[in-house]
Structures are given as C-alpha cells and as structure tokens.
Amino acid sequence: MNLRPGARALALLLLSSAACGGPPTPSPVEGEPICPDFEVGATRAPMRGSLRFPVALTVRDGKDPITRATLTGRRSKDDPVSRILLADEDAEYELEWAQCENERAPRARTLSRETKHAAEYACGNATVYKTDKLVTRKGDAASRTVHFAAPPKPECWESELPAAPAPSPDAGAEPAPADASAAEPAAADGGAVDAGAASGGAVDAGAASGGAVDAGARGAGATPADAGAPRDGGAGGAPKPPSAGAGDAGTPAQGS
C-alpha cells in the first residue's frame, strides 16, 4: 500500500508512540508570522494571506524524521496556531527549519475546504537555515511547544493593484472665455474715462458756480456810493458823466 509522505510520517509516529506507550498529541507552533489577506488585479480579487516562501519544519528523532509540516503563516492573530503531532513522552528531538525555494501561489479567499482538485504546492529544494533541540517530558504539554524560527525571507504576499491614472493638470480648472479677460479691462477703462469726463463736467459746473459766487460777492460788497452812482446801461455799468448844463443851472452867467 502506497502512502503519501505525510501519512507515512504519521504512521511512523503512531507506531513509535505506541511502542513507547505515549499517545500522540497536537503540539502548537508559537510565533508563526501573520500575513493578512490582500487584493490583486483590477477587480481587486480577495486573496488569502500567506508567506511568499513557506517554511518546512522537520522533526527528527536522531536521523529518522518523525513528522514534517509546511508553515505558510497565519492570516490574523485570531487564527489558530499551526500544530504538529508529538508523542507525550520523555524524548529529545531535533527541529530542522528550512525555507522553500518556490513561491507559494496566492489562493482565493473564498477557497472551500475541498482542495482535492487544487494543485499541490511543491516546496522544491528547501535550504536549512536553523536547527534546534526540543526536549519533551511526559505529562508536560508546555514542553512540547515549538517556537517558530524566522526565515531569511519573511515577506508575505501583498496587494498588487494597478496604479491609478494621474489627474490632468487642467482637470479641476474651468476654461475661461476667450474674450473675458480683454473685455473686462476695456469696460473698466471705459468707465474710468467716462467717470473722468463726468468729473470734468462737475469741475466746469463748479467754475460756473464760482462765477455766480463772484457775482454775488461783487453785489454784496458794493458800497452805497457805488449804488447811487448813475450807470450807463449801454456801457457795461460804467458811471455816466454829468451834462454840461446841469452844473450851471443855479449859477448866474458871467458878465451879466
């Protein structure tokens, strides 16, 4: 009977645990990186967060591999941690951390639990970057906790959205009428000229009124003597000379 590598490792673990008398129990992997969900493409398709290059964890008892797990990161801090099966017994294991050479293709967020038709991820040649020792004690669950070792490439998949087009420089400005700038100054100048002309007319009117004031001043400043002096109506108001006979009317003629 052909078994998948994961199934063979689990069967080996079950056999070894049965021989030692300790039942296999799920052991948590603490400190796994968090890769939030993201969006791709013009349609902003929602994708599940994951590491770009997953981490392969191998647990060895001596030189024999006990179990393997491919860790792709948690999608949020509320997601349950990854777990591996370890026997509840006194033992010493070697943890081998390696990073896959192949990128793990992003998966849709709406991916159902049915993944039998989905292509399996191939890790490729995984490069070991760290080894740890794990000492477990029977009946002590905390001793079976595995602490994640950060890989050389810790990058998560991120949003890859098309860049938004740059706004046109004139997009927000309203085009001005072609003759608006020329017509308004002309109207303004014309109004200034008319205003000046009107003010000029006011000045002339003031001059005319000034003449009236002068005439009034002359009338107001005239003396009684001037008022009684006879004036020639045809000579522009100049005093009329006395007649020759008027002065001798009461004087006897000489030589009489």
Side-chain angles (χ1 to χ4, degrees):
M1 180 176 61
N2 293 328
L3 296 176
R4 296 173 59 184
R8 287 198 299 269
L10 180 59
L12 180 60
L13 176 63
L14 292 175
L15 290 174
S16 62
S17 62
C20 299
T25 57
S27 302
V29 179
E30 298 287 352
E32 191 175 0
I34 296 176
C35 295
D37 293 348
F38 60 100
E39 298 175 338
V40 295
T43 60
R44 305 179 72 93
M47 309 299 288
R48 301 167 67 90
S50 66
L51 290 169
R52 292 177 66 98
F53 298 92
V55 171
L57 169 62
T58 302
V59 181
R60 297 181 181 276
D61 183 4
K63 293 184 178 180
D64 298 326
I66 300 300
T67 186
R68 290 188 178 94
T70 301
L71 307 175
T72 59
R74 298 163 61 196
R75 295 169 58 193
S76 72
K77 63 180 181 179
D78 298 326
D79 274 8
V81 299
S82 299
R83 294 178 181 275
I84 59 175
L85 291 175
L86 291 177
D88 182 16
E89 62 179 357
D90 296 331
E92 183 176 329
Y93 301 106
E94 183 180 85
L95 306 179
E96 187 178 83
W97 301 93
Q99 188 159 34
C100 299
E101 67 173 352
N102 296 331
E103 291 185 347
R104 182 178 183 270
R107 300 189 179 189
R109 191 183 304 172
T110 56
L111 184 67
S112 64
R113 296 183 181 274
E114 287 285 335
T115 57
K116 61 181 180 180
H117 298 296
E120 285 192 33
Y121 169 71
C123 179
N125 294 326
T127 303
V128 177
Y129 60 89
K130 188 175 182 181
T131 56
D132 289 328
K133 285 187 177 182
L134 179 67
V135 178
T136 63
R137 294 182 296 274
K138 187 174 182 179
D140 184 2
S143 67
R144 294 190 300 275
T145 300
V146 177
H147 297 280
F148 185 85
K153 299 178 181 179
E155 298 87 2
C156 299
W157 282 105
E158 296 179 355
S159 295
E160 297 178 359
L161 303 177
S168 174
D170 300 331
E174 296 182 358
D179 300 332
S181 59
E184 292 179 359
D189 295 342
V193 173
D194 294 342
S199 63
V203 172
D204 295 341
S209 63
V213 171
D214 293 342
R218 287 196 299 270
T223 60
D226 295 337
R231 295 179 180 275
D232 187 2
K240 185 177 179 181
S243 61
D248 300 333
T251 303
Q254 295 179 1
S256 57

